[in-house]
Amino acid sequence: GSYSVAGSYRPAFAESALPNGLRYPNADPGRALIERVIRDTRPDEPVAALPYLPGFHFATGRPVVARRIYLLPFNTRPEVEREYLCELDRAGVRYVMFGDHPALVGGEHLRLRSYAPLVDAHLARHFEPVGKAGHWQLLRRVSPGVACAPPR
């Protein structure tokens, strides 16, 4: 067997190499989205996965955008959101893998808009969906983000 990008165990099935050479299950519904990110970004270009997608950065071979890899209810406050958005925009992130469906996160109260409304609104304003796999969406930037002071 193998593990999907979401960290769930799957029985053994056919695998083939992604564009970056990593062997990955052919039947994983997110494979096409991962392939698009690899194809459309440079190896040193950061991407984001929200609110939580263990394995996405490993599968794409792309760096993490921010000090906080994931935004979860227990680690997100308004100042954390502002810091994350500055890091996201300063890095010029063009792609975000976004999984915020109630069935995926465990209920309406655990959706990003419930505990990180600044980030949720920013994604809605500056990104658009360009692909879908199950409860996951691939978002692509359509407008510049916020102007932030450079890091100290």
Side-chain angles (χ1 to χ4, degrees):
S2 64
Y3 288 88
S4 75
V5 71
S8 61
Y9 183 77
R10 297 175 187 252
F13 44 75
E15 296 178 342
S16 61
L18 291 169
N20 63 1
L22 178 71
R23 296 197 56 75
Y24 197 81
N26 294 333
D28 189 293
R31 183 183 174 107
L33 302 181
I34 291 168
E35 287 175 337
R36 180 173 182 166
V37 170
I38 293 169
R39 199 174 46 251
D40 292 357
T41 60
R42 299 177 320 277
D44 63 342
E45 184 176 345
V47 294
L50 290 170
Y52 176 76
L53 183 57
F56 176 70
H57 293 94
F58 175 76
T60 60
R62 301 307 185 252
V64 174
V65 66
R67 187 167 64 95
R68 286 178 173 75
I69 299 173
Y70 307 118
L71 296 179
L72 301 169
F74 65 85
N75 73 354
T76 305
R77 301 173 309 283
E79 60 273 14
V80 169
E81 288 186 83
R82 287 189 287 278
E83 176 186 327
Y84 185 88
L85 290 174
C86 283
E87 290 173 317
L88 185 82
D89 290 343
R90 194 178 299 120
V93 168
R94 292 186 299 140
Y95 284 100
V96 176
M97 185 70 92
F98 187 61
D100 194 41
H101 190 278
L104 185 64
V105 297
E108 194 65 39
H109 67 290
L110 294 175
R111 295 186 75 178
L112 195 66
R113 67 178 173 221
S114 297
Y115 65 87
L118 299 174
V119 173
D120 189 70
H122 185 83
L123 294 177
R125 197 168 34 254
H126 300 289
F127 290 80
E128 69 179 4
V130 293
K132 186 170 173 53
H135 296 307
W136 292 97
Q137 291 185 67
L138 183 61
L139 307 178
R140 184 184 65 211
R141 184 180 292 277
V142 293
S143 66
V146 297
C148 298
R152 296 179 205 178

